[in-house]
Amino acid sequence: MDSNNQARDSSHFDPALKSSSRKSITSSHSRGSDRISVREVAFNHSGSTPVRYGSKGADSEVFSVSQKEISDEDARLIYIHDPVRTNERFEFAGNSIRTAKYSILTFLPRNLFEQFHRVAYIYFLVIAILNQLPQLAVFGRGVSVLPLAFVLLVTAVKDAFEDWRRHRSDKVENSRLASVLVGDQFEQKKWKDIRVGEIVKIHANETIPCDIVLLSTSDPTGVAYVQTINLDGESNLKTRYAKQETLAKLPETERTNGLIKCEKPNRNIYGFQANMEVDQKRLSLGSSNIVLRGCELKNTKWALGVAVYCGSETKAMLNSSGAPSKRSRLETRMNYEIIILSFFLVALCTVTSVCAAVWLKRHKDELDLLPYYRKLNFQDGKSYKYYGWGLEIVFTFLMSVIVFQVMIPISLYISMELVRVGQAYFMIGDNRMYDEASNSRFQCRALNINEDLGQIKYVFSDKTGTLTENKMEFQCASIWGVDYSIANESQEDEQVEYSVEVDGAVLRPKMKVKVSPKLLQLSRSRLENEGGKRIHDFFLALAACNTIVPLHVDTSDPKVKLIDYQGESPDEQALAYAAAAYGYTLIERTSGHIIIDMQGERQRFNVLGLHEFDSDRKRMSVILGYPDNSVKLFVKGADTSMLSVMDKSSNMDIIHATERHLHSYSSLGLRTLVIGMRELNTSEFEQWHQSFETASTALMGRAALLRKVASNIENNLCILGASAIEDKLQKGVPESIESLRTAGIQVWVLTGDKQETAISIGYSSKLLTSDMTQIIINSNNRESCRRSLQDALVMSQKLMAATGVANGTETSYTPKIPIALIIDGTSLVYVLDSELEEQLFQLASKCSVVLCCRVAPLQKAGIVALVKNRTSDMTLAIGDGANDVSMIQMADVGVGISGQEGRQAVMASDFAMGQFRFLVPLLLVHGHWNYQRLGYMILYNFYRNAVLVLVLFWYVLFTAFTLTTAINEWSSMLYSIIYTSLPTIVVGILDKDLSKRTLINYPQLYGAGQRHEAYNKKLFWLTMIDTLWQSIVIFFGALFAYWGSTIDVASIGDLWTLAVVIVVNIHLAMDVIRWNWITHVSIWGSIVATFIAVMVIDAIPTFPGYWAIFHSLGTGSFWLCLLGIIITALLPRFMVKYIHQYYFPDDIQISREAEKVGASRMVGGEDIEMHPIPVGPPR
């Protein structure tokens, strides 16, 4: 998750604020001499145009609601400690939750309704219904229903098991106990019995059972610390407050009465708008006064609250929807072939019915006497099952549909689901995607798009927490114009373990920090000169200007405790630990004061005001009251917002020096913050206090008023300095990006960090290289943005043209000098959702790398949509935080990183893992395997079923088009279920065309999926031609072999059945690359099982063809004919495979041969020449 420096989790408070690029930046920056900048368009501006992409309705609900009074129609009234009256007028939801989809009564109809959303299922249902009609009963009525019933049953059992687990989880959750005020004392109640309006008491480490407004806590100032790990996955503590007016009212001794008027239930977990009437006073309530269901109470003995939202109306339940449903690109393309097969099926049925019509016309006078076509019933002289020429044609057409129904493979759908489950099992079990640091394995949250991992062309990546560790480490400080960079000092940096003594116990910070010896000595000396005072104020600001909660953790030594700084962002934690290392240790924090140990001297400061960070101001501030009654304001924030509010009347040399240091830090890839302060006189403080009270109690536009108050006080600051924090690259990131780019995947990085920081990370991650031509676009209005894009397009075309001449071709899309596009979020404001989108896409498609800086969450989704809507290439987005969710959901494949920023990204993703480097085995190995296997499996299923249908069709042509079948009806039904299904599934799960090592060593092999080599129209038609040949050989080979003999229909039908099954299974065996015992058992076992099934069917006296197979097996001609059919049917395929592999091999076949020759000699020692990967315009 990225954001601007300190303000990492602006989304935690106002998730849909306007663009972080509203107020922007930049001055023209110099580039290093090693970086070639073709064009750099940089402007200073302070435009206020919001992000346009997705901005409609994107304002946070806390803002939109706060702009107006809550009307009675839009509000719910809650009478405190009076649930009967509360629920008298309004029927509020109980606290029982239900995540299960079905009940005993609704399971069957609802599950069937959901399953029949697949059109193919409706098709087979119609077929089964038609077969129930006497005129159309080709197969037995029970047999015709069997395939569809089997598929429906398997899916229903799976759905029932999953829902049973949900029911069991719901029961456990609803039966948990909580303390609820009943009368004048607290009693234990099950969670499901809690009602809106009841007062609930929560003890330390207990989970909140419903959304409650805090009334009182064990802390005298009304503060409560909660952990939201069950809600959003974040383990850091957050502060919530009870109103002072309700603190003293303990329900056991004094009845609490009042009325809460709040907004209706909504999904905004970061906003809450309400007011409360207590003792004739009207108090405003906000997000800091409500604790949501699923949070845990920490570091607080107890808390009291009134239930405002229960059960399904709680914010947690309203946000409990899973990842968005996505459909596999391969399955979408498969629909085209299914439509073709449907037309082919109609064509077969039409040919059959037309031929039947012609035959009936020609033989209309012979119908009464033909031995195999009974029209006349000799007993009563009436027609026998003959409905006239017209109806016979119609019935023949419908009967043809029934007989040839398997042309549309119903078993394919269930096979694909089983194969995907098997593939997911092996992906989850891959130890190379196991993260030891977080003890997390790979998660497959969307089973239906496994194969899409093998076709990715674009990867959109967040930076902080995705490419970097998101574990911040304090590195540099610029104080009063002096750079105290650790790296610049000749002495080796040291890690200082500073400790303080409190109440006989020694307190030590949990984390050690590298310090500058020079700065450490200066901070300890407490010089009285100007520089010494600024150093003191600088570290005091780092220790005080935050929302850190210091927790005292016991150790093995009872006299020593560790201080664990819990904060809402890793930046704050790093700065607090840095301040402690230099002797400014935050020991205690309440809502009213903080205690800081400064070089062994404990001092208490009153917290008179706190303005939390928001993405409009890009800064936060705290007002401290000193023991001598002086009042000082400390502010920290992004340089772009801080430098504009500094006092420019003096100390300009200090400001310029700090700016130079900031640029130096950013160039090293460090995250920077600027620190400032000023002393408030009595009138200024009183004016601020009055404005703050008015804004915080306002019932309309409260959030906007608070921002205005903060902006008014945060000006004319005296600059103290700047801090720099390092967010190190994750292990293996440079190598991973290089592998992905070698595989033909374009990597775009979308970050909220400033441009210099992003570029530095780009170089260290090998995303940017020194030989790249950088095109930088920083525009402050639409017209300048248009000109910049046009100039950049002209420049890129000149480079492409020059490269084309150098390469001897005008169509080359692989420039000799790669181009890198760097664009900021302010420019994107004018590009996205405008006519400039197309120009940006044309420019980006010519670039090897795209780096977007200072982008807001909605802009990230807009950039993904820019590519996704203009190309058929597959997109993947990967991120770790809440502001990456929109990007993850927009992309074809979304990957969440289980990192430091909670689980919002994981919960919205299709796949989740612990490190960015795992993307390489996920895509290059598992993605490649999944795509190759499933692509082959789909074509094989089409072929397998079409062979049987064509054999049946050829037979119809020789039996007066009467739709009789030589193949037993049970064999026809079992063909796709038992005879040939298992080998397909096993090969789809286990077969590997190449080893892991080869796929990792040669990323170019991934291009096979991008070029759709495993599944395309050409392969489909070649497969159909092969199918036609094999069906002709199978049918006519047996027919001519027994022509003129007295063999009965059942015997030759058994021969055709066995021939089809053996041919299609050997066909599959010819394509298997990696054999193992499971593959052997499934393929050869299916052939044996077919023999056994045919013998069992023919051994049943009531079935036609009784004992036929046993007569046939005893003759040599049967075995000779079967062997001849198999060889003749498969010989052309064998010859084509041989010629193709040995004279026209592709990359995969070359690599496979290299593996066969020997890994040590070929794969490990020599390069395999791969086909070039074109980087051109989208298809």
Side-chain angles (χ1 to χ4, degrees), residues 589-605:
R589 175 187 295 277
T590 70
S591 61
H593 71 271
I594 56 174
I595 296 178
I596 299 176
D597 182 287
M598 298 183 295
Q599 305 297 347
E601 178 185 343
R602 293 181 63 188
Q603 193 162 339
R604 171 178 169 143
F605 299 91

Side-chain angles (χ1 to χ4, degrees), residues 127-128 130-133 136-145 399-406 952 963-965 967-973:
I127 297 295
L130 289 176
N131 200 70
Q132 306 306 307
L133 302 176
L136 306 177
V138 178
F139 302 124
R141 295 181 179 179
V143 176
S144 63
V145 181
M399 290 167 67
S400 301
V401 174
I402 297 173
V403 172
F404 304 146
Q405 60 179 296
V406 290
L952 296 174
L963 276 307
T964 56
T965 58
I967 297 177
N968 186 281
E969 61 184 27
W970 279 98
S971 289
S972 297
M973 292 300 124

